[in-house]
Amino acid sequence: MRPNYARARQQKRAHYDDATVRDILSGGLVGHVGFIAEGRPMVIPMAYALVDDTLYLHGASKTRLALLDATPLCLTVTHLTGIVAARSAFHHSVNYRSVVVHGLARRVEGEEFDMALNAITEHLLPGRISEVRPMSEQERKATGVVALDIEYASAKVRTGPPVDDDSDLTLGLWAGVIPVTTALGTGVQDAHTPAGVPAPPSVGEARRKFSGA
Amino acid sequence: MRPNYARARQQKRAHYDDATVRDILSGGLVGHVGFIAEGRPMVIPMAYALVDDTLYLHGASKTRLALLDATPLCLTVTHLTGIVAARSAFHHSVNYRSVVVHGLARRVEGEEFDMALNAITEHLLPGRISEVRPMSEQERKATGVVALDIEYASAKVRTGPPVDDDSDLTLGLWAGVIPVTTALGTGVQDAHTPAGVPAPPSVGEARRKFSGA
């Protein structure tokens, strides 16, 4: 994230344990996927799902990303949790939890294809697949799924108040943290939902899962 | 973002007008910066600022990003505003506003350096620079600033309810949007803030600026 001014501090923020990585990936709404296109870096926001040690992405079967195979991908998921206001501009920062994942793209077919598509939908709306009309063959053909088998993942976490220079602590200034929260609201039904049909369980599950994410 | 299943729809979501691009960049808390490192795409979350047609990023002067010069960068800013639950998995989507910016990295020195650093702090906390201790020469030396002069920027926006197949509209199912909101809470002062010192104006400005972002 921001400063990384001091390498020592940067290293203090790095967490490589599997549980931290999985927790951050599981709680992310969208990821930012990086790939190289015509020699340039490209970053696009995408829905995703984590299954064991593989991340899944999808898109129209003809899109650039869906056609990638055996090329390097990066997926980054960030939860911003606060703005850190210090007594000097230098020590301003943000509180966050993030994961950066690297691996090669792999095109997905067969049984893994259906499993992955379901997982992507259920990442955002747990249980949704059993609530909706099944996928058609035409829809399958129109969709591409790419796997990112995780080769390397690193998490970084910053929490807590600003870390000011000792000599700044007596300046009499206000310093602290402005919390940043992300919340899911009440589901708003569309015009074609019959009167009296309540929001399904998946909506409540999503609100519980991502509250405070 | 997610589906892009239909190219027609994908194009409908693309907005290239300058005002939309600036609005999305101005209202973003952090961006995701993509660059190529050792032949691989790398995506990291970063604070940033937009000044005229240039985006500024900063880091420790020895970090990989701060040392980039004349190499291609991508910065993507995403505001997620809803989860779109349709009657088929295929038509699930998310509501969002995003901008993808491309340009070359340029190392920043001199007057532009100070201006850019101030702009990055003030992007998150408008007016904060006048509230804090001025930057020291040692801090300047420890900091690197990179400019991304915008060559190409494109915005995408999806709003509104799901777009289901006509034949699915009579299934009797619930479909709609679960709103996603990001909010800044009340500033929490640290242990070194004297009793009775109120949160400064920059905190209120930030809360106004990013509410609902």
Side-chain angles (χ1 to χ4, degrees):
Chain A
M1 214 72 153
R2 205 225 132 195
N4 295 345
Y5 287 117
R7 292 208 161 248
R9 182 176 302 170
Q10 187 176 4
Q11 283 163 1
K12 253 193 284 179
R13 285 184 199 161
H15 298 262
Y16 300 95
D17 63 288
D18 196 65
T20 301
V21 168
R22 286 180 194 279
D23 187 57
I24 294 169
L25 292 175
S26 296
L29 287 157
V30 297
H32 282 78
V33 178
F35 56 100
I36 301 172
E38 294 160 23
R40 290 194 160 233
M42 185 74 186
V43 178
I44 53 179
M46 295 193 81
Y48 67 92
L50 174 68
V51 179
D52 299 328
D53 292 321
T54 299
L55 286 157
Y56 291 101
L57 307 166
H58 68 349
S61 49
K62 300 286 169 54
T63 50
R64 198 152 44 179
L65 185 81
L67 294 172
L68 294 178
D69 197 16
T71 59
L73 293 182
C74 178
L75 183 138
T76 298
V77 172
T78 305
H79 306 245
L80 186 69
T81 58
I83 298 173
V84 180
R87 292 166 177 83
S88 59
F90 187 78
H91 285 299
H92 276 63
S93 188
V94 290
N95 283 337
Y96 65 101
R97 297 182 297 136
S98 71
V99 167
V100 176
V101 175
H102 289 280
L104 296 182
R106 175 173 58 82
R107 293 184 67 179
V108 172
E109 316 275 349
E111 277 180 30
E112 189 185 11
F113 177 94
D114 285 317
M115 180 279 295
L117 279 183
N118 289 351
I120 294 169
T121 298
E122 300 229 332
H123 176 86
L124 286 177
L125 292 165
R128 184 64 178 160
I129 291 300
S130 68
E131 297 168 353
V132 297
R133 185 259 295 158
M135 200 166 199
S136 70
E137 201 48 44
Q138 193 184 350
E139 289 172 341
R140 280 191 183 82
K141 283 185 184 151
T143 307
V145 173
V146 170
L148 191 175
D149 296 311
I150 300 178
E151 289 171 22
Y152 176 84
S154 68
K156 280 194 183 180
V157 177
R158 192 205 185 282
T159 59
V163 178
D164 271 308
D165 292 346
D166 286 346
S167 55
D168 290 336
L169 296 177
T170 54
L171 292 173
L173 296 174
W174 188 98
V177 174
I178 302 99
V180 176
T181 53
T182 301
L184 271 58
T186 304
V188 179
Q189 65 185 53
D190 73 2
H192 305 286
T193 302
V197 172
S202 65
V203 174
E205 291 296 324
R207 295 187 66 188
R208 272 186 289 279
K209 176 177 178 179
F210 296 109
S211 280
Chain B
M1 213 69 152
R2 206 226 131 192
N4 295 345
Y5 287 118
R7 293 206 160 250
R9 181 177 301 168
Q10 187 176 5
Q11 284 164 2
K12 253 193 285 178
R13 286 183 198 160
H15 299 262
Y16 300 95
D17 63 286
D18 195 64
T20 301
V21 168
R22 285 180 194 280
D23 187 57
I24 294 168
L25 292 175
S26 297
L29 287 158
V30 296
H32 282 79
V33 178
F35 56 100
I36 301 172
E38 295 159 24
R40 290 196 160 231
M42 185 74 188
V43 179
I44 52 179
M46 295 194 79
Y48 66 92
L50 174 68
V51 180
D52 299 328
D53 292 321
T54 299
L55 286 158
Y56 291 101
L57 308 167
H58 68 351
S61 49
K62 300 286 169 55
T63 49
R64 198 150 47 177
L65 185 82
L67 296 171
L68 294 178
D69 197 17
T71 59
L73 294 181
C74 179
L75 182 137
T76 298
V77 172
T78 305
H79 306 246
L80 186 68
T81 58
I83 298 173
V84 180
R87 291 166 178 82
S88 59
F90 186 78
H91 286 298
H92 277 63
S93 188
V94 291
N95 283 338
Y96 65 100
R97 298 182 295 137
S98 71
V99 168
V100 176
V101 175
H102 289 279
L104 295 182
R106 174 172 60 80
R107 293 184 67 178
V108 172
E109 315 274 348
E111 278 180 29
E112 189 185 11
F113 177 93
D114 285 319
M115 180 280 293
L117 278 183
N118 289 350
I120 294 169
T121 298
E122 300 229 331
H123 176 86
L124 285 177
L125 292 165
R128 184 65 178 158
I129 291 300
S130 68
E131 298 168 353
V132 297
R133 186 259 293 160
M135 200 167 198
S136 70
E137 201 48 45
Q138 192 184 352
E139 289 172 342
R140 278 191 184 83
K141 282 184 186 152
T143 307
V145 173
V146 170
L148 190 174
D149 296 311
I150 300 177
E151 289 171 23
Y152 176 82
S154 68
K156 279 194 185 181
V157 177
R158 192 202 186 282
T159 58
V163 178
D164 271 307
D165 293 345
D166 286 345
S167 54
D168 289 336
L169 296 177
T170 52
L171 292 173
L173 296 174
W174 188 98
V177 174
I178 302 101
V180 177
T181 53
T182 300
L184 271 58
T186 305
V188 179
Q189 64 185 52
D190 74 0
H192 305 286
T193 302
V197 172
S202 64
V203 174
E205 291 297 324
R207 294 186 67 188
R208 272 186 288 280
K209 178 177 178 181
F210 295 109
S211 279

